[in-house]
């Protein structure tokens, strides 16, 4: 069973760029059997799908965030990352990383991290 | 505003059956059999309880069942238990431009 753990800066200033990382254990990020993704949840609100990446590097993003988001894989460190540019207060949220076996190929996630809070404030 | 519409809250008594709804627009629930449901307890990560409209992951109680009709998906919880009190989110694939949409979530209270 995969285990995922998010990490990030905690607090960033408006207009800055934030990078969040998801460390994977119990499996290899290079394993083509899985896909990986990010979902966020503003405080007290619902879930928002951010994007997905396959071991090939192919990535797909929420169109409302696409111009500011990049998801990438770092095979040397067995992790994947989320880069979010030009952050605003609206980006304040709990950010979850998640994964799923590619055999399902159903755009859902069954392994989740516990989330990392990103706050945007000056 | 979420792409999928869920009632903000529902409640039920222990032992009851309860159904949560999730209504989409054209191009998501109606078009694809890729509806999922997640259960989220306070302070925890979401847990996948239904995928592919009506399939349960291993280990999920058979008290949870899913279905869809037209542009509305439903999650039915039978034999309601105290631990079922949580937020429930529906999700659907919505095509190669939008990809994935979530509902705003339903807070289930077990009375």
């Amino acid at each position: 069973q995969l285990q995922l753990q998010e990490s990030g800066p905690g607090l960033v200033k408006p207009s800055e760029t934030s990078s969040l990382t998801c460390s994977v254990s119990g499996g290899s990020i290079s394993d083509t059997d899985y896909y990986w993704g990010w979902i966020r949840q503003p405080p007290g609100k619902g879930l928002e799908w951010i994007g997905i990446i396959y071991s090939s590097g192919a990535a797909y993003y929420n169109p409302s965030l696409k111009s500011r988001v990049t998801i990438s894989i770092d095979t040397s460190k067995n992790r994947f990352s989320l880069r979010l540019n030009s952050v605003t207060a609206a980006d304040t949220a709990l950010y979850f990383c998640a994964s799923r076996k590619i055999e399902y190929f159903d755009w859902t996630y069954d392994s989740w991290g516990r989330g990392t809070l990103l706050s945007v404030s000056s | 505003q979420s792409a999928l519409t869920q009632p903000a809250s529902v409640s039920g008594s222990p032992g009851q059956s309860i159904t949560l709804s999730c209504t989409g627009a054209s191009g998501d629930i109606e078009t694809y059999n890729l509806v999922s449901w997640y259960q989220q307890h306070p302070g925890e990560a979401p847990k996948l309880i239904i995928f592919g409209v009506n399939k349960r992951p291993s280990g999920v109680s058979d008290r949870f069942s899913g279905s869809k009709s037209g542009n509305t998906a439903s999650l039915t919880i039978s034999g309601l238990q105290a631990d079922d009190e949580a937020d429930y989110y529906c999700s659907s694939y919505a095509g190669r431009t939008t990809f994935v949409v979530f509902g705003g979530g339903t807070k289930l209270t077990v009375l």
Side-chain angles (χ1 to χ4, degrees), chain B residues 8-99:
Chain B
S9 63
V10 296
S11 61
S13 301
Q16 262 190 322
S17 288
I18 198 160
T19 297
L20 281 60
S21 65
C22 171
T23 302
S26 61
D28 42 57
I29 292 175
E30 189 170 30
T31 304
Y32 304 99
N33 290 323
L34 293 173
V35 178
S36 301
W37 290 87
Y38 297 88
Q39 176 193 62
Q40 187 180 33
H41 287 110
E44 296 185 4
K47 173 187 176 183
L48 181 67
I49 57 174
I50 294 289
F51 66 97
V53 179
N54 55 14
K55 301 177 182 62
R56 281 187 307 277
S58 174
V60 172
S61 171
D62 60 3
R63 295 187 301 106
F64 295 92
S65 62
S67 64
K68 82 167 189 177
S69 177
N71 70 341
T72 299
S74 300
L75 173 70
T76 298
I77 309 173
S78 60
L80 210 56
Q81 299 178 358
D83 188 52
D84 297 333
E85 185 162 293
D87 294 324
Y88 291 84
Y89 293 92
C90 60
S91 171
S92 176
Y93 179 67
R96 297 178 69 83
T97 300
T98 306
F99 299 110

Side-chain angles (χ1 to χ4, degrees), chain A:
Chain A
Q1 178 77 5
L2 287 178
Q3 294 184 345
L4 309 174
Q5 172 125 33
E6 306 88 346
S7 58
L11 177 66
V12 294
K13 291 181 168 55
S15 79
E16 290 186 343
T17 294
S18 178
S19 290
L20 304 178
T21 297
C22 181
S23 298
V24 178
S25 58
S28 171
I29 195 80
S30 301
D31 192 339
T32 56
D33 287 345
Y34 291 90
Y35 56 81
W36 317 91
W38 289 93
I39 304 93
R40 70 181 182 179
Q41 185 171 34
K45 296 187 177 181
L47 302 171
E48 180 178 28
W49 187 83
I50 298 173
I52 192 172
I53 190 166
Y54 295 88
S55 58
S56 64
Y60 304 93
Y61 303 112
N62 184 325
S64 71
L65 299 171
K66 185 177 180 180
S67 63
R68 298 192 296 123
V69 166
T70 302
I71 299 176
S72 59
I73 286 178
D74 185 344
T75 55
S76 66
K77 296 183 178 178
N78 213 40
R79 67 188 191 189
F80 61 106
S81 299
L82 170 69
R83 180 181 174 95
L84 183 60
N85 301 327
S86 305
V87 298
T88 70
D91 294 313
T92 293
L94 187 62
Y95 285 75
F96 295 101
C97 63
S99 71
R100 173 85 156 154
K101 279 204 162 186
I102 201 168
E103 67 186 76
Y104 294 101
F105 195 58
D106 58 1
W107 303 84
T108 65
Y109 299 105
D110 55 8
S111 294
W112 292 67
R114 297 176 65 88
T116 185
L117 181 63
L118 179 70
S119 297
V120 180
S121 175
S122 55

